[in-house]
Structures are given as C-alpha cells and as structure tokens.
Amino acid sequence: EQRLQVVQACMETLYRDRIEPTLGNIQQRLLDFGWSFEEVQCVPFHCAREPGMFEFISPEDDEPCRIFLQTPPCWFDGWVGMDMNEDPYPPTLWEALGDFLSSNASMVFHGGIAGAAAALQQLGLPCLQCLSLGELQDVVGRAIAEHGLLAFSGNDIRPRRVRLEQALHGDAAGDRKAFHAAFRLS
C-alpha cells in the first residue's frame, strides 16, 4: 500500500513536469526517490495489479511501456513533446536563451536533453522560469533541431557557435535543407 502511494506521488511529479510516464521515466524518478534497482523492477507488476489506480499500456511498435494515473490531477496541463509542429515559445524566449548561450559559450550540459533541461532549470533564467521540466526538455530539443543554438558533443550538449541572428530568426527557415546540412557538418 505504501509503495503504491510512493509510485503515485512519483507519477504526479511526472505529470507536474509534463513528462510522459514511461516505465523508464517512472523507474528513474523512483531511483531518484531512493528506491533500489530491484525495487523499481517490480513497478510494472504492482501497477498492473491496481487497475483502479493505474492504466498500464503495454509497449507496442516503437512506443515504450507507459503507466498513467486512471484519474489525472485536475491541474494537469497535458504532455509536452516535439511532435508539436509549431514552436509554442515566443521569440523573446529564443532571443534571451541565445544571449545567455552566447555569453556562456564554454558551458557544457551533461546527460543529454534531460540533463541540459535540468541544468537550465537549476540556473533559473528569467526567460525559462515559468516552464515545466518537460517544456524545458522541449526547448532544449528545439534549440538543437530548429534554432541551432545547441549541439550534441557525445552525450553532452554545448552552445553552437553560429551567427545568433541566423539561428534566432531561422534564416534556416528560409532554406531548411541548407540549415540541416550545416547542422550535420558542425
């Protein structure tokens, strides 16, 4: 009973952060909560036995196993993902982030997109303060793929050295092919 309450509380943090509760995300959060590796391996079994509390979605195609709360919190605002075609963030966010990254060109974010998002959250930049962790992950992904402000270096992410105006105003948007070719070369 107590374990299920902790799982539910863990999942609520994912809902607050607007990060889809995949089995991997749930298990990582529980590890962060202090659970052992052995304990987190049992999560799917516990959740599958409580259909009134959890909705267990088996993995299919390229989708991982997901476990949802049967009743989402009333404050839940939906999942965030780069599958949204239009950039939901204002140009002022990209300008401020670009300015920050230009001023901190030697900064390195460890841990991929999730690690970079967590680091940006810790920095407390005014332009990012009202964003959830899931939205910050989306911002980092878009800063890499669409705005050219960040780039992978192994599993680390670093600011890109490009003309700021080009990245921010999507000079790349006028010629996406050239932008993506340049992105791959750097």
Side-chain angles (χ1 to χ4, degrees), residues 25-173:
N25 287 337
I26 295 167
Q27 289 174 326
Q28 183 58 55
R29 285 280 167 105
L30 289 169
L31 287 169
D32 295 344
F33 278 25
W35 282 31
S36 71
F37 180 78
E38 292 77 21
E39 290 172 314
V40 299
Q41 298 305 308
C42 297
V43 168
F45 306 108
H46 294 306
C47 293
R49 284 187 251 172
E50 294 292 334
M53 187 181 286
F54 303 105
E55 178 184 2
F56 187 88
I57 308 292
S58 297
E60 52 188 48
D61 300 326
D62 290 336
E63 294 291 324
C65 174
R66 290 163 291 155
I67 304 171
F68 298 99
L69 295 173
Q70 278 292 358
T71 306
C74 61
W75 41 259
F76 177 57
D77 208 17
W79 308 119
V80 175
M82 279 193 60
D83 55 337
M84 296 183 287
N85 290 332
E86 290 190 31
D87 186 341
Y89 310 105
T92 54
L93 178 144
W94 297 114
E95 291 167 12
L97 182 59
D99 289 346
F100 171 78
L101 294 171
S102 292
S103 300
N104 296 279
S106 62
M107 181 171 275
V108 177
F109 299 107
H110 303 287
I113 289 176
L120 286 171
Q121 188 176 54
Q122 290 294 315
L123 289 171
L125 301 176
C127 64
L128 304 176
Q129 281 185 334
C130 64
L131 300 179
S132 70
L133 186 58
E135 289 167 317
L136 287 171
Q137 289 179 3
D138 187 48
V139 164
V140 170
R142 289 175 188 277
I144 294 167
E146 296 174 12
H147 294 273
L149 297 174
L150 295 169
F152 275 101
S153 176
N155 194 35
D156 294 335
I157 295 176
R158 301 173 184 266
R160 287 199 63 220
R161 299 183 194 278
V162 296
R163 280 189 30 232
L164 189 57
E165 301 81 32
Q166 182 181 16
L168 292 176
H169 295 54
D171 212 3

Side-chain angles (χ1 to χ4, degrees), residues 6-24:
V6 174
V7 171
Q8 183 175 7
C10 164
M11 290 177 65
E12 286 177 0
T13 68
L14 290 169
Y15 276 75
R16 185 178 327 106
D17 287 338
R18 300 183 65 197
I19 297 173
E20 192 172 34
T22 64
L23 179 58

